[in-house]
Amino acid sequence: TSFGDYGEYFESIDSQKIPTGHIVALVGDKIRKANSQDQQCLGVVSKTAGIILGGSGFCWQGRFLRGEFGILTQEIPDPKWKPKDGQTEEDRPLITVEVENPNYNPEQEYVERAKRPEWHIVGLLGQVHVRIDKTVLVGCYIKSNDDGIGTRDETEQGWYVMKITTPYDEEKGYGVAM
């Protein structure tokens, strides 16, 4: 498999799955299919991201309390410390640990974002596979149509098309470009 883009997880605004290859736009911190009125699109739902951020693969993202710049930490006495000859409790070293959220329930089963339909990897940078309509040619620029599919941008201000990997198919209703 060839990985060609950098991606990050984003949740859909309606909690529904957005098919791969659609251009998406942000609404607050969530995504939806882009439309022709969007001045700025975020990226493309991707399955070729080589680096993926925001996955929360191991636990609920709210497990630890956060401040302005990330997870809060505190220093506590090292619970694994074993005193050596002559050492007292005052010699116990401190360790830095995250401050757990009181709302965190370790008994509740956590389902990672990769296994939930409302979470999408959005290719933000790199060579991304985009669904396109029949107006798109190699070397042109694209923007979103009203269904999150790339269409030719006559102003040449959208995304540049390097190549077409799947020609437009009337039956499917799209082709694929990079």
Side-chain angles (χ1 to χ4, degrees):
T1 300
S2 176
F3 297 111
D5 57 285
Y6 295 88
E8 186 167 346
Y9 274 98
F10 287 88
E11 185 177 5
S12 60
I13 194 163
D14 61 3
S15 296
Q16 299 299 306
K17 183 175 176 65
I18 300 172
T20 303
H22 278 89
I23 300 169
V24 294
L26 271 177
V27 178
D29 64 348
K30 299 193 178 188
I31 59 168
R32 62 164 168 73
K33 282 185 189 176
N35 63 52
S36 61
Q37 304 305 308
D38 288 319
Q39 296 296 313
Q40 188 168 358
C41 296
L42 176 65
V44 179
V45 177
S46 174
K47 289 197 181 207
T48 59
I51 296 175
I52 303 168
L53 303 173
S56 293
F58 304 108
C59 67
W60 173 50
Q61 58 83 29
R63 178 178 178 177
F64 301 105
L65 294 179
R66 293 179 181 271
E68 293 176 310
F69 300 105
I71 294 174
L72 297 177
T73 59
Q74 64 185 353
E75 288 190 336
I76 64 167
D78 186 349
K80 296 180 181 177
W81 179 71
K82 292 187 177 26
K84 296 185 173 117
D85 289 336
Q87 289 184 315
T88 66
E89 191 59 34
E90 289 84 39
D91 297 316
R92 182 184 291 259
L94 297 176
I95 60 169
T96 302
V97 297
E98 294 88 1
V99 180
E100 197 162 75
N101 186 333
N103 296 323
Y104 173 65
N105 178 358
E107 302 299 317
Q108 185 175 0
E109 181 183 354
Y110 175 72
V111 178
E112 65 182 288
R113 291 177 177 177
K115 295 180 178 167
R116 293 165 38 199
E118 72 273 20
W119 286 94
H120 305 81
I121 298 169
V122 177
L124 302 172
L125 179 68
Q127 300 176 30
V128 184
H129 294 81
V130 182
R131 292 178 190 234
I132 56 169
D133 67 16
K134 60 186 170 189
T135 66
V136 176
L137 302 170
V138 172
C140 77
Y141 290 81
I142 61 171
K143 61 182 180 180
S144 181
N145 70 9
D146 284 330
D147 193 34
I149 293 176
T151 191
R152 190 176 188 141
D153 184 355
E154 298 296 339
T155 67
E156 297 189 352
Q157 293 184 24
W159 294 324
Y160 181 77
V161 176
M162 297 178 356
K163 74 177 172 181
I164 295 180
T165 59
T166 304
Y168 179 81
D169 181 324
E170 192 77 42
E171 202 172 295
K172 290 194 305 188
Y174 66 88
V176 180
M178 287 181 69

